[in-house]
Amino acid sequence: MAKSLAKTLLPEARDRLKTIGSLGGASLSERGEAVVRRLSRRDEMRYLLDGILSDDRQLGEIAARSYYHANSFLKIVLAVGDENAWKLRLHVWHPQSEADLLPREDIHSHRWDFTTALLLGEYNAREYMIAPGDDYHHYRYTPVRADQHFSLEAMGSEQLAKVCESNVQAGTVYHLDHRVLHSIARSNDGPTATVVLQGPVVRDTTNVYRTSPVSGKGGGDKGIYVERPSVDQLRGELAQLHHWL
């Protein structure tokens, strides 16, 4: 019988994920979903956070691979599978006043499929396709490297049409294929957090579509710096998430 994830610590969650293989295809969308769903229970996540907060070594390892994402959330990489077969992450958005709510994030696809559960809060999600519609600046995205930069290479312009939209509530679990163009926007001013299980990388780069160019010139390969949290910053972020839960 499979070991329960109830009241688990991070090393046990990592061991459980190793037992479901590479997490490609159906494994990610079916068996991986069960892992995400269990970890998205608030009592279990509080217990998981307690274990991390009491272990400075774990905090240091997690801080070194986490960063403040350009789409205005903290991307916390809790654990990584062998040869990057999977990544278990938390995404955390801080509360904002209605006046300070940020615009919808850039439309983008991914380099991997993923399963996610909305742990806290809510957001508005949209999906798009390349079709006659609104004009966007198209960029090829290359991921964050050890030097803490990612790059956006201008690829011209493209028209996109919205194909669906939904308001996603806490407790929702869903799977997204890496090819789907999508964006999300905060739909309230409270904290928001998701649990994400990322599958294996299937492409080296992906696509980003913006309503405005990265710079006034609108061209070139732009290296963009990302900030990684210090151990003390991460401790504070996780303690705050624990309080919100």
Side-chain angles (χ1 to χ4, degrees), residues 119-161:
L119 175 64
L120 179 69
E122 61 183 66
Y123 55 67
N124 177 269
R126 294 179 182 176
E127 295 181 8
Y128 304 80
M129 64 183 297
I130 297 174
D134 295 329
D135 291 317
Y136 292 90
H137 300 272
H138 178 200
Y139 291 88
R140 177 183 292 145
Y141 168 88
T142 301
V144 173
R145 304 183 298 271
D147 61 4
Q148 298 185 218
H149 290 75
F150 66 88
S151 67
L152 292 174
E153 178 186 359
M155 303 297 291
S157 62
E158 189 69 83
Q159 287 196 339
L160 302 180

Side-chain angles (χ1 to χ4, degrees), residues 36-239:
V36 171
R37 192 178 296 277
R38 296 293 290 272
L39 289 176
S40 68
R41 294 180 181 175
R42 294 193 182 191
D43 59 338
E44 292 187 1
M45 182 53 66
R46 284 194 295 266
Y47 189 81
L48 190 77
L49 294 177
D50 283 336
I52 296 170
L53 288 166
S54 66
D55 188 331
D56 287 344
R57 179 187 59 80
Q58 279 194 79
L59 277 169
E61 291 174 352
I62 294 170
R65 55 183 177 240
S66 303
Y67 59 93
Y68 292 94
H69 197 281
N71 279 331
S72 304
F73 63 87
L74 174 58
K75 182 176 181 177
I76 303 170
V77 183
L78 296 174
V80 180
D82 295 339
E83 299 181 355
N84 286 317
W86 52 265
K87 290 183 180 180
L88 179 65
R89 309 196 311 248
L90 287 170
H91 293 178
V92 180
W93 292 259
H94 281 251
Q96 294 177 295
S97 68
E98 185 173 348
D100 292 333
L101 281 177
L102 294 169
R104 178 171 296 275
E105 67 182 22
D106 295 337
I107 299 169
H108 59 285
S109 55
H110 286 282
R111 299 183 303 122
W112 23 258
D113 298 350
F114 68 94
T115 298
T116 188
L118 194 58
L119 175 64
L120 179 69
E122 61 183 66
Y123 55 67
N124 177 269
R126 294 179 182 176
E127 295 181 8
Y128 304 80
M129 64 183 297
I130 297 174
D134 295 329
D135 291 317
Y136 292 90
H137 300 272
H138 178 200
Y139 291 88
R140 177 183 292 145
Y141 168 88
T142 301
V144 173
R145 304 183 298 271
D147 61 4
Q148 298 185 218
H149 290 75
F150 66 88
S151 67
L152 292 174
E153 178 186 359
M155 303 297 291
S157 62
E158 189 69 83
Q159 287 196 339
L160 302 180
K162 183 176 69 174
V163 295
C164 65
E165 179 175 5
S166 60
N167 289 313
V168 183
Q169 306 294 318
T172 303
V173 181
Y174 63 93
H175 178 75
L176 200 67
D177 184 274
H178 67 279
R179 294 164 292 189
V180 175
L181 295 172
H182 64 282
S183 69
I184 65 171
R186 304 280 293 281
S187 52
N188 66 11
D189 56 4
T192 302
T194 59
V195 182
V196 180
L197 182 59
Q198 169 191 320
V201 172
V202 295
R203 57 191 301 183
D204 294 330
T205 63
T206 192
N207 297 294
V208 173
Y209 297 87
R210 295 172 52 90
T211 56
S212 60
V214 172
S215 72
K217 296 180 181 179
D221 186 352
K222 309 298 181 185
I224 301 174
Y225 173 80
V226 297
E227 178 188 358
R228 298 192 186 277
S230 67
V231 172
D232 285 342
Q233 284 177 313
L234 180 63
R235 182 182 290 107
E237 295 278 7
L238 294 180

